[in-house]
Amino acid sequence: MRLPRSSAGWTIGIFGILALLMGAVGLLWPETQLRMLGFEVPQSRATGDYTGTFMTASSMASFNMGVYYLLATATEWRPFYRFTVFFRLVTFTVFTIAVLADIAPGRFFTVALWEGLGAVATAVALWWDARRASPTPSNADGPGAPAGVVPAAGADR
């Protein structure tokens, strides 16, 4: 696995690793993850309680999402980075509403906050990377230099 080559890549890569790890925790120790999120974990579940099924499905989705984010990082797939900003802000909004409407416990807001801050961090990193890559008198390679291209790490050596 290659290290990210841009600031935005680092934000996506870090989120990918955490999504993958949290997915693995949910698959291996669902009760631990439920407690981390502030949900009650009863000694036994009633007939018709599909909490375990839901945990398996959402944890597998998180695990897969982590893989997708890491693939995007390895390939420096910038359109994906931009795509995630919008949808992570949507996720922040939906999760915040769930807490405010008492659908989810207050501790669940940490998930919303993680999504919102991650979206903002990626948006800022995308802006920063674009700004760094814009040709200026001090960093232009001359006429015809491609604008908006972020050089690979170590390209200046």
Side-chain angles (χ1 to χ4, degrees), residues 20-37 41 45 51-52 55-56 59:
L20 188 126
L21 290 174
M22 292 311 295
V25 168
L27 288 168
L28 298 171
W29 305 287
E31 295 83 14
T32 300
Q33 191 164 52
L34 286 169
R35 284 187 191 95
M36 286 171 49
L37 295 171
V41 180
R45 298 264 178 207
T51 302
M55 286 300 297
T56 300
S59 295

